[in-house]
């Protein structure tokens, strides 16, 4: 894996936020899990696509994480990039009875959005 190359890429080209050797116990409901090489929050679609391409080129594993409710992580951690979209990919909109939700939106926020907009049943 190109950990050094990926760190250089993130420093120079990544617009989002990232953490190195982030303990995954901070991101799981059961509070277990060792460090991920990189824990990233892409800022926009372009940032996400470019990072995924870079990871593929460097043969770096990528795993998407939500709230960590259904995730058990080894104490030895995760070798690669753990990616969370909740910080910048949480948009919601309504058009009549159709709700469009971005991939990082949390379920509880969607439920509140639907309630506020009179959607139910």
């Amino acid at each position: 894996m190109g950990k050094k190359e990926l760190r250089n890429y993130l420093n120079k080209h990544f617009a989002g936020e990232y953490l190195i050797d982030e303990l995954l116990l901070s991101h799981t409901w059961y509070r277990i899990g060792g460090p991920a090489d990189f824990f990233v929050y892409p800022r926009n679609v372009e940032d996400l696509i470019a990072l995924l391409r870079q990871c593929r080129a460097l043969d770096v594993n990528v795993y998407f994480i939500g709230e960590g409710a259904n995730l058990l992580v080894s104490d030895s951690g995760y070798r690669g990039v753990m990616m969370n979209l909740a910080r910048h990919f949480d948009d919601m909109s309504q058009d009549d009875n159709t709700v469009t939700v971005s991939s990082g939106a949390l379920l509880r926020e969607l439920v509140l959005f639907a309630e506020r907009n009179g959607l139910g049943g």
Side-chain angles (χ1 to χ4, degrees), residues 17-74:
E17 301 134 66
Y18 68 94
L19 303 164
I20 297 172
D21 295 325
E22 174 70 359
L23 288 175
L24 294 172
L25 60 85
S26 301
H27 303 278
T28 63
W29 280 19
Y30 296 109
R31 300 295 177 230
I32 60 171
D37 291 335
F38 300 94
F39 195 94
V40 301
Y41 299 96
R43 184 164 306 280
N44 53 47
V45 172
E46 295 78 20
D47 209 24
L48 171 62
I49 292 169
L51 178 57
L52 289 172
R53 284 185 178 144
Q54 188 66 27
C55 288
R56 182 180 298 148
L58 295 172
D59 198 28
V60 173
N61 295 325
V62 176
Y63 189 87
F64 287 86
I65 183 175
E67 290 187 273
N70 59 350
L71 186 62
L72 299 175
V73 180
S74 168

Side-chain angles (χ1 to χ4, degrees), residues 86-105:
R87 196 168 280 181
H88 301 292
F89 290 81
D90 60 350
D91 297 330
M92 293 180 218
S93 63
Q94 176 189 3
D95 184 19
D96 295 321
N97 286 329
T98 301
V99 176
T100 302
V101 183
S102 294
S103 59

